[in-house]
Amino acid sequence: LAEQLPISVRNTGVMWNKADSTVDPGHQTGGMCDLGTVPFDPAVVNASQDNKSIFELDENNAAMSAIKELLGNSLAKLKVGSA
Protein backbone atom coordinates (compact mmCIF):
# COMPACT_ATOMS: atom_id res chain seq x y z
CA LEU A 1 0.00 0.00 0.00
CA ALA A 2 2.82 2.39 0.87
CA GLU A 3 4.24 1.89 -2.63
CA GLN A 4 0.88 2.61 -4.30
CA LEU A 5 0.04 5.88 -2.54
CA PRO A 6 1.62 9.23 -3.42
CA ILE A 7 3.26 9.55 0.00
CA SER A 8 6.77 9.19 1.31
CA VAL A 9 7.23 6.22 3.63
CA ARG A 10 10.66 5.46 5.06
CA ASN A 11 9.90 2.58 7.39
CA THR A 12 7.22 -0.08 7.29
CA GLY A 13 6.22 -2.82 9.66
CA VAL A 14 3.79 -5.70 10.04
CA MET A 15 1.31 -6.15 12.88
CA TRP A 16 -0.25 -9.60 12.96
CA ASN A 17 -4.00 -9.55 13.57
CA LYS A 18 -5.95 -12.51 14.99
CA ALA A 19 -2.64 -14.27 15.44
CA ASP A 20 -2.41 -17.81 16.67
CA SER A 21 0.47 -19.82 18.04
CA THR A 22 1.81 -20.63 14.56
CA VAL A 23 2.99 -17.05 14.02
CA ASP A 24 6.69 -16.74 14.73
CA PRO A 25 7.25 -13.36 16.43
CA GLY A 26 10.54 -11.73 15.61
CA HIS A 27 10.77 -12.79 12.00
CA GLN A 28 10.65 -10.29 9.16
CA THR A 29 8.33 -10.32 6.19
CA GLY A 30 9.32 -8.76 2.90
CA GLY A 31 11.92 -6.61 4.57
CA MET A 32 9.38 -5.14 6.97
CA CYS A 33 9.88 -5.14 10.71
CA ASP A 34 7.66 -7.50 12.71
CA LEU A 35 5.96 -5.17 15.18
CA GLY A 36 4.11 -7.87 17.09
CA THR A 37 0.81 -9.69 17.27
CA VAL A 38 -2.76 -9.03 18.29
CA PRO A 39 -4.25 -12.32 19.52
CA PHE A 40 -7.61 -13.59 18.36
CA ASP A 41 -10.25 -12.47 20.83
CA PRO A 42 -13.99 -13.23 20.56
CA ALA A 43 -14.69 -9.94 22.37
CA VAL A 44 -13.32 -8.06 19.32
CA VAL A 45 -15.66 -10.00 17.02
CA ASN A 46 -18.60 -9.26 19.33
CA ALA A 47 -17.72 -5.57 19.47
CA SER A 48 -17.56 -5.41 15.68
CA GLN A 49 -20.93 -7.15 15.35
CA ASP A 50 -22.38 -4.64 17.83
CA ASN A 51 -20.94 -1.71 15.79
CA LYS A 52 -18.55 -0.83 18.59
CA SER A 53 -14.93 0.20 18.39
CA ILE A 54 -12.24 -2.01 19.88
CA PHE A 55 -11.38 1.00 21.99
CA GLU A 56 -14.66 0.47 23.83
CA LEU A 57 -13.41 -2.89 25.14
CA ASP A 58 -12.28 -3.31 28.72
CA GLU A 59 -8.72 -2.04 29.07
CA ASN A 60 -7.67 -5.42 30.48
CA ASN A 61 -8.91 -7.25 27.37
CA ALA A 62 -6.10 -9.32 25.79
CA ALA A 63 -6.45 -7.82 22.31
CA MET A 64 -6.74 -4.28 23.67
CA SER A 65 -3.65 -4.76 25.85
CA ALA A 66 -1.70 -6.05 22.83
CA ILE A 67 -2.80 -3.10 20.69
CA LYS A 68 -1.71 -0.60 23.34
CA GLU A 69 1.66 -2.30 23.66
CA LEU A 70 2.12 -2.43 19.89
CA LEU A 71 1.30 1.23 19.47
CA GLY A 72 3.71 2.15 22.24
CA ASN A 73 6.56 0.07 20.80
CA SER A 74 6.00 0.68 17.08
CA LEU A 75 7.31 4.22 16.98
CA ALA A 76 10.60 3.15 18.55
CA LYS A 77 10.96 0.04 16.37
CA LEU A 78 10.32 2.02 13.20
CA LYS A 79 12.47 4.91 14.46
CA VAL A 80 9.69 7.37 13.68
CA GLY A 81 10.79 10.94 14.17
CA SER A 82 14.50 10.24 13.71
CA ALA A 83 16.37 11.70 10.78
Side-chain angles (χ1 to χ4, degrees):
L1 183 61
E3 294 173 357
Q4 297 173 359
L5 296 175
I7 58 175
S8 175
V9 177
R10 290 185 290 177
N11 301 309
T12 56
V14 175
M15 289 184 186
W16 299 96
N17 185 28
K18 294 193 251 180
D20 61 27
S21 60
T22 63
V23 173
D24 179 20
H27 76 284
Q28 293 197 0
T29 304
M32 292 184 281
C33 179
D34 182 351
L35 299 172
T37 62
V38 177
F40 174 76
D41 189 331
V44 174
V45 175
N46 293 338
S48 177
Q49 291 173 341
D50 292 340
N51 293 320
K52 293 183 179 179
S53 165
I54 59 166
F55 297 103
E56 295 179 66
L57 295 174
D58 183 85
E59 66 181 45
N60 295 321
N61 173 276
M64 192 65 213
S65 296
I67 291 167
K68 286 180 181 180
E69 183 177 344
L70 285 172
L71 291 174
N73 294 334
S74 295
L75 296 177
K77 284 185 178 181
L78 294 174
K79 297 179 177 76
V80 173
S82 60

Coordinates of all heavy atoms in Angstrom, one line a residue:
L1 N 0.8 -1.2 0.0 CA 0.0 0.0 0.0 C 0.9 1.3 0.0 O 0.6 2.2 -0.7 CB -0.9 0.0 1.2 CG -1.9 1.1 1.3 CD1 -2.9 1.2 0.1 CD2 -2.7 1.0 2.6
A2 N 1.9 1.2 0.8 CA 2.8 2.4 0.9 C 3.4 2.7 -0.5 O 3.7 3.9 -0.8 CB 3.9 2.2 1.9
E3 N 3.7 1.7 -1.3 CA 4.2 1.9 -2.6 C 3.2 2.4 -3.6 O 3.6 3.0 -4.6 CB 4.8 0.6 -3.1 CG 6.0 0.1 -2.3 CD 6.5 -1.3 -2.7 OE1 5.9 -1.9 -3.6 OE2 7.5 -1.7 -2.2
Q4 N 1.9 2.2 -3.4 CA 0.9 2.6 -4.3 C 0.4 4.0 -4.1 O -0.2 4.6 -4.9 CB -0.3 1.6 -4.2 CG 0.1 0.2 -4.6 CD -1.0 -0.8 -4.4 OE1 -2.1 -0.4 -3.9 NE2 -0.7 -2.0 -4.7
L5 N 0.5 4.5 -2.9 CA 0.0 5.9 -2.5 C 1.1 6.9 -2.8 O 2.3 6.7 -2.7 CB -0.4 5.9 -1.1 CG -1.5 5.0 -0.7 CD1 -1.8 5.1 0.8 CD2 -2.8 5.4 -1.4
P6 N 0.7 8.1 -3.2 CA 1.6 9.2 -3.4 C 2.1 9.9 -2.1 O 2.0 11.1 -1.9 CB 0.8 10.2 -4.3 CG -0.6 10.0 -3.8 CD -0.7 8.6 -3.4
I7 N 2.7 9.1 -1.3 CA 3.3 9.6 0.0 C 4.7 9.0 0.2 O 5.0 8.0 -0.4 CB 2.4 9.2 1.2 CG1 2.2 7.6 1.3 CG2 1.0 9.8 1.1 CD1 1.5 7.1 2.5
S8 N 5.4 9.6 1.0 CA 6.8 9.2 1.3 C 6.8 8.4 2.6 O 6.3 8.8 3.6 CB 7.7 10.4 1.5 OG 9.0 10.0 1.9
V9 N 7.2 7.1 2.5 CA 7.2 6.2 3.6 C 8.6 5.7 3.7 O 9.1 5.1 2.8 CB 6.2 5.0 3.5 CG1 6.3 4.1 4.7 CG2 4.8 5.6 3.3
R10 N 9.3 5.9 4.9 CA 10.7 5.5 5.1 C 10.7 4.1 5.7 O 11.6 3.3 5.4 CB 11.5 6.4 5.9 CG 11.7 7.7 5.2 CD 12.6 8.6 6.0 NE 11.8 9.1 7.2 CZ 12.3 9.8 8.2 NH1 13.5 10.2 8.2 NH2 11.5 10.2 9.2
N11 N 9.9 3.8 6.6 CA 9.9 2.6 7.4 C 8.5 1.9 7.4 O 7.5 2.6 7.6 CB 10.3 2.8 8.8 CG 11.7 3.5 8.9 OD1 12.6 3.0 8.3 ND2 11.8 4.6 9.6
T12 N 8.5 0.6 7.2 CA 7.2 -0.1 7.3 C 7.3 -1.3 8.2 O 8.4 -1.8 8.5 CB 6.8 -0.6 5.9 OG1 7.8 -1.4 5.4 CG2 6.5 0.5 5.0
G13 N 6.2 -1.7 8.7 CA 6.2 -2.8 9.7 C 4.9 -3.6 9.5 O 4.0 -3.2 8.9
V14 N 4.9 -4.8 10.1 CA 3.8 -5.7 10.0 C 3.3 -5.9 11.5 O 4.1 -6.2 12.4 CB 4.2 -7.1 9.4 CG1 3.0 -8.0 9.5 CG2 4.7 -6.9 8.0
M15 N 2.0 -5.8 11.6 CA 1.3 -6.2 12.9 C 0.4 -7.3 12.5 O -0.4 -7.2 11.6 CB 0.5 -5.0 13.4 CG 1.3 -3.9 14.0 SD 0.2 -2.7 14.7 CE 1.3 -1.4 15.1
W16 N 0.6 -8.4 13.2 CA -0.3 -9.6 13.0 C -1.6 -9.5 13.7 O -1.6 -9.3 14.9 CB 0.5 -10.9 13.4 CG 1.8 -11.0 12.7 CD1 3.0 -10.6 13.1 CD2 2.0 -11.6 11.4 NE1 4.0 -10.9 12.1 CE2 3.3 -11.5 11.1 CE3 1.1 -12.2 10.4 CZ2 3.9 -12.0 9.9 CZ3 1.6 -12.6 9.3 CH2 3.0 -12.6 9.0
N17 N -2.7 -9.6 13.0 CA -4.0 -9.5 13.6 C -4.6 -10.9 13.7 O -4.4 -11.8 12.8 CB -4.9 -8.7 12.7 CG -6.2 -8.4 13.3 OD1 -6.4 -8.5 14.5 ND2 -7.2 -8.2 12.5
K18 N -5.3 -11.2 14.8 CA -5.9 -12.5 15.0 C -4.9 -13.6 14.9 O -5.1 -14.7 14.4 CB -7.1 -12.8 14.0 CG -8.2 -11.9 14.1 CD -9.4 -12.4 13.3 CE -9.6 -11.5 12.1 NZ -10.7 -12.0 11.3
A19 N -3.8 -13.3 15.5 CA -2.6 -14.3 15.4 C -2.9 -15.5 16.3 O -3.5 -15.4 17.4 CB -1.4 -13.6 15.9
D20 N -2.4 -16.6 15.9 CA -2.4 -17.8 16.7 C -1.0 -18.2 17.0 O 0.0 -17.6 16.7 CB -3.2 -18.9 16.0 CG -2.6 -19.3 14.6 OD1 -1.4 -19.2 14.5 OD2 -3.4 -19.8 13.8
S21 N -0.8 -19.4 17.6 CA 0.5 -19.8 18.0 C 1.4 -20.2 16.9 O 2.6 -20.5 17.1 CB 0.3 -21.0 19.0 OG -0.3 -22.1 18.4
T22 N 0.9 -20.3 15.7 CA 1.8 -20.6 14.6 C 2.6 -19.4 14.0 O 3.5 -19.6 13.2 CB 1.0 -21.3 13.4 OG1 0.1 -20.3 12.9 CG2 0.3 -22.5 13.9
V23 N 2.2 -18.2 14.4 CA 3.0 -17.0 14.0 C 4.3 -17.0 14.8 O 4.3 -17.1 16.0 CB 2.2 -15.8 14.2 CG1 3.0 -14.5 13.9 CG2 0.9 -15.8 13.4
D24 N 5.4 -16.8 14.1 CA 6.7 -16.7 14.7 C 7.1 -15.3 15.0 O 7.6 -14.6 14.0 CB 7.7 -17.5 13.8 CG 9.1 -17.4 14.4 OD1 9.3 -17.2 15.6 OD2 10.1 -17.6 13.6
P25 N 6.9 -14.7 16.2 CA 7.2 -13.4 16.4 C 8.8 -13.2 16.3 O 9.5 -14.1 16.5 CB 6.8 -13.1 17.9 CG 5.9 -14.2 18.2 CD 6.3 -15.4 17.3
G26 N 9.1 -12.0 15.8 CA 10.5 -11.7 15.6 C 11.1 -11.9 14.2 O 12.1 -11.5 13.9
H27 N 10.3 -12.6 13.4 CA 10.8 -12.8 12.0 C 10.4 -11.6 11.2 O 9.6 -10.8 11.6 CB 10.2 -14.1 11.4 CG 8.8 -14.0 10.9 ND1 7.7 -14.0 11.8 CD2 8.2 -13.8 9.7 CE1 6.6 -13.9 11.2 NE2 6.9 -13.8 9.9
Q28 N 11.0 -11.4 10.0 CA 10.6 -10.3 9.2 C 10.0 -10.8 7.9 O 10.2 -11.9 7.4 CB 11.9 -9.5 8.8 CG 12.5 -8.8 10.0 CD 13.5 -7.7 9.6 OE1 13.7 -7.5 8.5 NE2 14.0 -7.1 10.6
T29 N 9.1 -10.0 7.4 CA 8.3 -10.3 6.2 C 8.6 -9.3 5.1 O 8.2 -8.1 5.3 CB 6.8 -10.4 6.5 OG1 6.6 -11.3 7.6 CG2 6.0 -10.8 5.3
G30 N 9.1 -9.7 4.0 CA 9.3 -8.8 2.9 C 10.2 -7.6 3.3 O 9.9 -6.5 2.7
G31 N 11.1 -7.7 4.2 CA 11.9 -6.6 4.6 C 11.3 -5.7 5.6 O 11.9 -4.7 6.0
M32 N 10.1 -6.0 6.0 CA 9.4 -5.1 7.0 C 9.6 -5.7 8.4 O 9.7 -6.9 8.6 CB 7.9 -5.1 6.7 CG 7.6 -4.3 5.4 SD 5.8 -4.2 5.1 CE 5.4 -5.8 4.5
C33 N 9.7 -4.8 9.3 CA 9.9 -5.1 10.7 C 8.6 -5.8 11.3 O 7.5 -5.3 11.0 CB 10.2 -3.9 11.5 SG 10.5 -4.1 13.2
D34 N 8.8 -6.9 12.0 CA 7.7 -7.5 12.7 C 7.4 -6.7 14.0 O 8.2 -6.7 14.9 CB 8.0 -9.0 13.0 CG 6.9 -9.7 13.7 OD1 5.9 -9.1 14.1 OD2 7.0 -10.9 13.8
L35 N 6.3 -6.0 14.0 CA 6.0 -5.2 15.2 C 5.3 -5.9 16.3 O 5.2 -5.4 17.4 CB 5.1 -4.0 14.7 CG 5.8 -3.1 13.7 CD1 4.8 -2.1 13.2 CD2 7.0 -2.4 14.3
G36 N 4.8 -7.1 16.0 CA 4.1 -7.9 17.1 C 2.8 -8.4 16.6 O 2.4 -8.3 15.5
T37 N 2.1 -9.0 17.6 CA 0.8 -9.7 17.3 C -0.3 -9.2 18.1 O -0.1 -8.8 19.3 CB 0.9 -11.2 17.5 OG1 1.2 -11.5 18.9 CG2 2.0 -11.8 16.6
V38 N -1.5 -9.3 17.6 CA -2.8 -9.0 18.3 C -3.5 -10.4 18.3 O -3.8 -10.9 17.2 CB -3.6 -8.0 17.6 CG1 -5.0 -7.8 18.4 CG2 -2.9 -6.6 17.5
P39 N -3.7 -11.0 19.5 CA -4.3 -12.3 19.5 C -5.7 -12.3 19.1 O -6.4 -11.3 19.3 CB -4.1 -12.7 21.0 CG -4.1 -11.4 21.7 CD -3.4 -10.5 20.8
F40 N -6.2 -13.5 18.6 CA -7.6 -13.6 18.4 C -8.4 -13.4 19.7 O -8.0 -14.0 20.7 CB -7.9 -14.9 17.7 CG -9.4 -15.1 17.6 CD1 -10.1 -14.5 16.5 CD2 -10.1 -15.9 18.5 CE1 -11.5 -14.6 16.4 CE2 -11.5 -16.1 18.3 CZ -12.2 -15.4 17.3
D41 N -9.5 -12.7 19.6 CA -10.3 -12.5 20.8 C -11.7 -12.4 20.4 O -12.1 -11.5 19.7 CB -9.8 -11.2 21.5 CG -10.4 -11.0 22.9 OD1 -11.5 -11.5 23.1 OD2 -9.8 -10.3 23.7
P42 N -12.6 -13.3 20.9 CA -14.0 -13.2 20.6 C -14.6 -11.9 20.9 O -15.6 -11.5 20.3 CB -14.6 -14.4 21.4 CG -13.5 -15.3 21.7 CD -12.2 -14.4 21.7
A43 N -14.1 -11.2 21.9 CA -14.7 -9.9 22.4 C -14.6 -8.9 21.3 O -15.4 -8.0 21.1 CB -14.0 -9.4 23.6
V44 N -13.5 -9.0 20.4 CA -13.3 -8.1 19.3 C -14.4 -8.3 18.3 O -15.0 -7.4 17.7 CB -11.9 -8.2 18.7 CG1 -11.7 -7.3 17.5 CG2 -10.9 -7.8 19.8
V45 N -14.6 -9.6 18.0 CA -15.7 -10.0 17.0 C -17.0 -9.5 17.5 O -17.8 -8.9 16.7 CB -15.7 -11.5 16.8 CG1 -16.8 -11.9 15.9 CG2 -14.3 -12.0 16.3
N46 N -17.3 -9.7 18.8 CA -18.6 -9.3 19.3 C -18.7 -7.8 19.3 O -19.8 -7.2 18.9 CB -18.7 -9.7 20.8 CG -18.9 -11.2 20.9 OD1 -19.3 -11.9 19.9 ND2 -18.5 -11.8 22.0
A47 N -17.7 -7.0 19.5 CA -17.7 -5.6 19.5 C -18.0 -5.1 18.0 O -18.8 -4.2 17.8 CB -16.4 -5.0 20.0
S48 N -17.3 -5.8 17.1 CA -17.6 -5.4 15.7 C -19.0 -5.7 15.3 O -19.6 -4.9 14.6 CB -16.6 -6.2 14.8 OG -16.8 -6.0 13.4
Q49 N -19.5 -6.8 15.7 CA -20.9 -7.1 15.4 C -21.9 -6.2 16.0 O -23.0 -6.0 15.5 CB -21.2 -8.6 15.8 CG -20.5 -9.6 14.9 CD -20.6 -11.0 15.4 OE1 -21.0 -11.3 16.6 NE2 -20.3 -12.0 14.5
D50 N -21.5 -5.6 17.1 CA -22.4 -4.6 17.8 C -22.1 -3.2 17.4 O -22.5 -2.2 18.1 CB -22.2 -4.8 19.3 CG -22.7 -6.1 19.9 OD1 -23.6 -6.7 19.2 OD2 -22.3 -6.5 21.0
N51 N -21.3 -3.0 16.3 CA -20.9 -1.7 15.8 C -20.2 -0.9 16.8 O -20.4 0.3 16.9 CB -22.2 -1.0 15.3 CG -22.8 -1.6 14.0 OD1 -22.0 -2.1 13.2 ND2 -24.1 -1.7 14.0
K52 N -19.4 -1.5 17.6 CA -18.5 -0.8 18.6 C -17.1 -0.8 18.2 O -16.6 -1.7 17.5 CB -18.7 -1.5 20.0 CG -20.1 -1.4 20.6 CD -20.1 -2.0 21.9 CE -21.5 -1.8 22.5 NZ -21.6 -2.4 23.8
S53 N -16.4 0.1 18.6 CA -14.9 0.2 18.4 C -14.2 -0.7 19.4 O -14.7 -0.9 20.5 CB -14.5 1.6 18.6 OG -13.1 1.7 18.7
I54 N -13.0 -1.2 19.0 CA -12.2 -2.0 19.9 C -11.8 -1.2 21.1 O -11.5 -1.7 22.1 CB -11.0 -2.6 19.2 CG1 -10.1 -1.5 18.6 CG2 -11.4 -3.7 18.2 CD1 -8.7 -2.0 18.2
F55 N -11.8 0.1 20.9 CA -11.4 1.0 22.0 C -12.4 1.1 23.1 O -12.2 1.7 24.1 CB -10.9 2.4 21.5 CG -9.7 2.3 20.6 CD1 -9.9 2.3 19.2 CD2 -8.5 2.0 21.1 CE1 -8.8 2.2 18.4 CE2 -7.4 1.9 20.3 CZ -7.5 2.0 18.9
E56 N -13.6 0.5 22.8 CA -14.7 0.5 23.8 C -14.6 -0.8 24.7 O -15.3 -1.0 25.6 CB -16.0 0.5 23.2 CG -16.3 1.9 22.5 CD -17.6 1.9 21.8 OE1 -18.7 1.9 22.5 OE2 -17.7 2.0 20.5
L57 N -13.6 -1.7 24.4 CA -13.4 -2.9 25.1 C -12.8 -2.6 26.5 O -12.1 -1.5 26.6 CB -12.5 -3.9 24.4 CG -13.0 -4.4 23.1 CD1 -12.0 -5.3 22.4 CD2 -14.3 -5.3 23.3
D58 N -12.9 -3.5 27.4 CA -12.3 -3.3 28.7 C -10.8 -3.2 28.5 O -10.2 -3.9 27.7 CB -12.6 -4.5 29.6 CG -12.0 -4.4 31.0 OD1 -12.7 -3.8 31.8 OD2 -10.9 -4.9 31.2
E59 N -10.2 -2.3 29.3 CA -8.7 -2.0 29.1 C -7.9 -3.2 29.4 O -6.7 -3.3 29.0 CB -8.3 -0.8 29.8 CG -8.3 -1.0 31.3 CD -7.9 0.3 32.1 OE1 -8.3 1.4 31.7 OE2 -7.1 0.1 33.0
N60 N -8.4 -4.2 30.1 CA -7.7 -5.4 30.5 C -7.9 -6.5 29.5 O -7.3 -7.6 29.6 CB -8.1 -5.9 31.9 CG -7.6 -4.9 32.9 OD1 -6.6 -4.3 32.9 ND2 -8.5 -4.7 33.9
N61 N -8.7 -6.3 28.4 CA -8.9 -7.2 27.4 C -7.6 -7.6 26.7 O -6.8 -6.7 26.5 CB -9.9 -6.6 26.4 CG -10.1 -7.5 25.2 OD1 -9.3 -7.4 24.2 ND2 -11.1 -8.3 25.2
A62 N -7.4 -8.9 26.4 CA -6.1 -9.3 25.8 C -5.7 -8.6 24.5 O -4.6 -8.2 24.3 CB -6.1 -10.8 25.6
A63 N -6.7 -8.5 23.6 CA -6.5 -7.8 22.3 C -6.2 -6.3 22.5 O -5.2 -5.8 21.9 CB -7.6 -8.0 21.4
M64 N -6.9 -5.7 23.4 CA -6.7 -4.3 23.7 C -5.4 -4.0 24.3 O -4.7 -3.1 24.0 CB -7.9 -3.8 24.6 CG -7.9 -2.3 24.7 SD -8.4 -1.6 23.1 CE -7.5 -0.1 23.2
S65 N -5.0 -4.9 25.2 CA -3.7 -4.8 25.8 C -2.5 -4.9 24.8 O -1.6 -4.1 24.8 CB -3.5 -5.8 26.9 OG -4.4 -5.6 28.0
A66 N -2.7 -5.9 23.9 CA -1.7 -6.0 22.8 C -1.6 -4.8 21.9 O -0.5 -4.4 21.5 CB -2.0 -7.3 22.0
I67 N -2.8 -4.3 21.6 CA -2.8 -3.1 20.7 C -2.1 -1.9 21.4 O -1.3 -1.2 20.7 CB -4.3 -2.7 20.3 CG1 -4.8 -3.8 19.4 CG2 -4.3 -1.4 19.7 CD1 -6.3 -3.7 19.2
K68 N -2.4 -1.7 22.6 CA -1.7 -0.6 23.3 C -0.2 -0.8 23.4 O 0.6 0.2 23.2 CB -2.3 -0.5 24.8 CG -3.6 0.1 24.9 CD -4.1 0.2 26.3 CE -5.5 0.7 26.4 NZ -5.9 0.8 27.8
E69 N 0.2 -2.0 23.6 CA 1.7 -2.3 23.7 C 2.3 -2.1 22.3 O 3.4 -1.5 22.2 CB 1.9 -3.7 24.2 CG 3.4 -4.0 24.3 CD 3.6 -5.4 24.9 OE1 2.7 -6.0 25.4 OE2 4.8 -5.9 24.7
L70 N 1.6 -2.6 21.2 CA 2.1 -2.4 19.9 C 2.2 -1.0 19.5 O 3.3 -0.6 18.9 CB 1.2 -3.1 18.9 CG 1.3 -4.7 18.9 CD1 0.2 -5.2 18.0 CD2 2.6 -5.1 18.4
L71 N 1.2 -0.2 19.8 CA 1.3 1.2 19.5 C 2.4 1.9 20.2 O 3.2 2.7 19.6 CB 0.0 1.9 19.8 CG -1.2 1.5 18.9 CD1 -2.5 2.1 19.4 CD2 -1.0 1.9 17.5
G72 N 2.6 1.5 21.5 CA 3.7 2.1 22.2 C 5.1 1.8 21.7 O 6.0 2.6 21.7
N73 N 5.2 0.5 21.2 CA 6.6 0.1 20.8 C 6.9 0.4 19.3 O 8.0 0.4 18.9 CB 6.7 -1.4 21.0 CG 6.7 -1.8 22.5 OD1 7.0 -1.0 23.3 ND2 6.2 -3.0 22.8
S74 N 5.8 0.5 18.5 CA 6.0 0.7 17.1 C 6.8 1.9 16.7 O 7.7 1.8 15.8 CB 4.6 0.7 16.4 OG 4.0 -0.5 16.5
L75 N 6.6 3.0 17.3 CA 7.3 4.2 17.0 C 8.8 4.0 17.2 O 9.6 4.4 16.4 CB 6.8 5.4 17.8 CG 5.4 5.8 17.5 CD1 5.0 7.0 18.5 CD2 5.2 6.2 16.1
A76 N 9.2 3.4 18.3 CA 10.6 3.1 18.6 C 11.2 2.1 17.6 O 12.3 2.3 17.0 CB 10.8 2.7 20.0
K77 N 10.5 1.1 17.3 CA 11.0 0.0 16.4 C 11.2 0.6 15.0 O 12.1 0.2 14.3 CB 10.0 -1.2 16.3 CG 10.1 -2.1 17.5 CD 9.2 -3.3 17.4 CE 9.3 -4.2 18.5 NZ 8.5 -5.4 18.4
L78 N 10.3 1.5 14.5 CA 10.3 2.0 13.2 C 11.2 3.3 13.2 O 11.4 3.9 12.1 CB 8.9 2.3 12.7 CG 8.1 1.1 12.4 CD1 6.7 1.5 12.0 CD2 8.7 0.2 11.3
K79 N 11.6 3.7 14.3 CA 12.5 4.9 14.5 C 11.8 6.1 13.9 O 12.4 6.9 13.2 CB 13.8 4.7 13.8 CG 14.6 3.6 14.5 CD 16.0 3.4 13.8 CE 16.8 2.4 14.5 NZ 16.4 1.0 14.3
V80 N 10.5 6.2 14.1 CA 9.7 7.4 13.7 C 10.2 8.6 14.4 O 10.4 8.7 15.6 CB 8.2 7.1 13.9 CG1 7.4 8.4 13.6 CG2 7.7 6.0 13.1
G81 N 10.3 9.7 13.6 CA 10.8 10.9 14.2 C 12.3 11.1 14.1 O 12.8 12.2 14.4
S82 N 13.0 10.1 13.8 CA 14.5 10.2 13.7 C 14.9 10.6 12.3 O 14.2 10.2 11.3 CB 15.2 9.0 14.2 OG 14.8 7.9 13.4
A83 N 15.9 11.3 12.1 CA 16.4 11.7 10.8 C 17.1 10.6 10.0 O 17.5 9.6 10.5 CB 17.3 12.9 10.9

